[in-house]
Amino acid sequence: MAEHGEESLLEKITDHFHGSDSSSSDSGDERSSGPSAVAAAAEAANAKIYRLFGRQKPLHTVLGGGKPADVFLWRNRKISASTLGSATAIWVLFELLEYHLLTLVGHALIFSLAIVFLWSTASTFISKSRPNIPEISIPEDPVVNVALSLGHQLNWLLASLREVAMGRDLKKFLIIIGGLWLVSIIGNCVNFLTLFYIVFVALYTVPVLYEKYEDKIDGFAEKAEAEFKKHYAVVHAKYLSKIPKVPLKDKKLQ
C-alpha cells in the first residue's frame, strides 16, 4: 500500500509539471503568434479602407519623401513659411505693384554691380583687401538631367494624347476634354502668374490639410466616386455603348 501511495503521488507530481509545461508552451505560442496576428489584421483592415486615388502608401512617401515632402507637409515650419512668404512677396511685387521682371532684374544687377565696383575702387584708397568674387559656372550634369527628364515627360504626354485622339479610350478622352475646358475657363479669369501662385499655395496647403482630415476626406471621396460610377454607367449604357468603334489594327493589316 505504501508503494502504491508513493507511485500515485509521483504520478500526480509529474502530471502537474506536464500540465504546467503544456500551458506555458500554449501561452508562448499565443505570445509569439500574437504580434503577427495583430499585424495581419491591421494590414487586412488597411486594405479595406478606401484611400483617395487608390493610394496605398503614406502621404509623405507619395510626395517623394525626404526634405521636399517635409516642406509640403510643414514638418519644417521655418522653411515652409519662408518659401510661401517669398512666393507671396513675388506675386505681390509683380501682380499688385505691377513690377516687370526685366525691370527687376535690371535694377538688381545695377545695384549689385555698383556696390561691388565702389567697394573694389574704395579698397585701393583705404588700404583694404578687395572683395573676393567667386567664379560662378553652371554644371552640365544637372542641366542635362533636367532636360532629359522634361523630354521624357513631354514624350509621355504626347503619346498619351495620341492614344486618346485615336479613340482607344473614351473615358480618358472625356476626362482630358473636361480638364482642358476647365483650364481654359481658369485662364480666361486669371493670368499665368496668378494661376502659378494659386497652384503654389495649393501645394503648401492641400497636402497638410488632407493629412490632418484624411479619414473624412477619403470617406467623402468614396461616396462621390460611387455616385460618379453610377451616373457614368447610366450614360454609358444609354449613349456611349452605342458609338461604333473602328478596328484600327484590322485597317492597317488590310
Side-chain angles (χ1 to χ4, degrees), residues 159-181:
S160 300
L161 293 176
R162 179 180 179 274
E163 183 179 358
V164 170
M166 293 181 71
R168 296 178 181 177
D169 194 341
L170 183 60
K171 183 178 179 181
K172 188 182 292 185
F173 171 76
L174 294 176
I175 292 173
I176 292 177
I177 292 297
L180 293 175
W181 178 70

Side-chain angles (χ1 to χ4, degrees), residues 21-226:
D21 291 339
S22 63
S23 63
S24 63
S25 64
D26 292 338
S27 64
D29 293 338
E30 290 178 357
R31 289 175 183 175
S32 62
S33 62
S36 61
V38 171
E43 289 180 359
N46 289 330
K48 293 180 181 179
I49 296 175
Y50 175 86
R51 294 300 181 194
L52 193 63
F53 304 117
R55 178 175 58 85
Q56 297 179 355
K57 297 179 181 180
L59 185 61
H60 188 272
T61 306
V62 173
L63 292 175
K67 292 183 179 180
D70 291 340
V71 172
F72 287 131
L73 295 176
W74 290 76
R75 304 284 173 83
N76 194 335
R77 294 179 179 270
K78 291 183 179 179
I79 297 178
S80 301
S82 60
T83 306
L84 186 59
S86 301
T88 304
I90 292 173
W91 179 76
V92 170
L93 185 66
F94 289 112
E95 185 64 23
L96 298 183
L97 301 180
E98 297 182 354
Y99 211 74
H100 299 286
L101 179 61
L102 291 177
T103 306
L104 177 64
V105 172
H107 289 173
L109 289 176
I110 291 171
F111 184 71
S112 57
L113 287 175
I115 290 178
V116 174
F117 178 79
L118 292 175
W119 187 1
S120 301
T121 305
S123 61
T124 58
F125 297 100
I126 59 178
S127 300
K128 286 189 176 181
S129 61
R130 293 188 176 185
N132 186 15
I133 303 174
E135 294 184 1
I136 301 173
S137 61
I138 300 175
E140 295 182 0
D141 292 339
V143 177
V144 173
N145 292 332
V146 170
L148 291 176
S149 178
L150 290 176
H152 177 73
Q153 296 295 330
L154 183 60
N155 290 333
W156 174 81
L157 178 62
L158 294 175
S160 300
L161 293 176
R162 179 180 179 274
E163 183 179 358
V164 170
M166 293 181 71
R168 296 178 181 177
D169 194 341
L170 183 60
K171 183 178 179 181
K172 188 182 292 185
F173 171 76
L174 294 176
I175 292 173
I176 292 177
I177 292 297
L180 293 175
W181 178 70
L182 181 63
V183 169
S184 65
I185 293 177
I186 295 173
N188 193 25
C189 298
V190 296
N191 57 13
F192 178 75
L193 181 62
T194 303
L195 180 61
F196 181 79
Y197 177 69
I198 291 172
V199 173
F200 192 86
V201 173
L203 286 175
Y204 276 81
T205 53
V206 173
V208 67
L209 291 175
Y210 174 72
E211 188 181 38
K212 187 176 182 180
Y213 304 102
E214 183 176 2
D215 296 333
K216 295 181 180 180
I217 296 174
D218 287 339
F220 178 78
E222 184 179 9
K223 295 178 182 179
E225 184 178 357

